[in-house]
Amino acid sequence: MPIPTSLILSVVDYKDANHWYWRLTDAAGHVLADQEVNLNPTDSEYEGFLDLPVSRTSRNDSSEG
């Protein structure tokens, strides 16, 4: 299987900051991977997740200017 030139990671079915579902698709919209996320705030690694850098740029971002 050839490697796609564009990959899109989207959050779908967002419930709250600890529960959501993400989907990875190629430029044609084919699903390559997906995963339900259930973060446990009592987990020792939870604090590290909260300290991730945030990117405000997106291919679909219409808030430019």
Side-chain angles (χ1 to χ4, degrees):
M1 178 175 172
I3 297 173
T5 56
S6 295
L7 298 176
I8 303 162
L9 183 62
S10 303
V11 173
V12 294
D13 194 23
Y14 179 85
K15 295 175 184 163
D16 60 41
N18 296 324
H19 305 92
W20 69 89
Y21 188 84
W22 64 257
R23 180 174 296 138
L24 181 67
T25 58
D26 63 16
H30 299 110
V31 176
L32 304 174
D34 54 16
Q35 180 68 46
E36 182 176 5
V37 177
N38 292 301
L39 299 178
N40 180 351
T42 63
D43 191 301
S44 63
E45 296 176 341
Y46 183 79
E47 289 289 324
F49 178 79
L50 297 178
D51 197 27
L52 293 173
V54 176
S55 173
R56 298 283 182 205
T57 60
S58 172
R59 198 181 112 181
N60 297 322
D61 188 4
S62 61
S63 62
E64 294 178 354

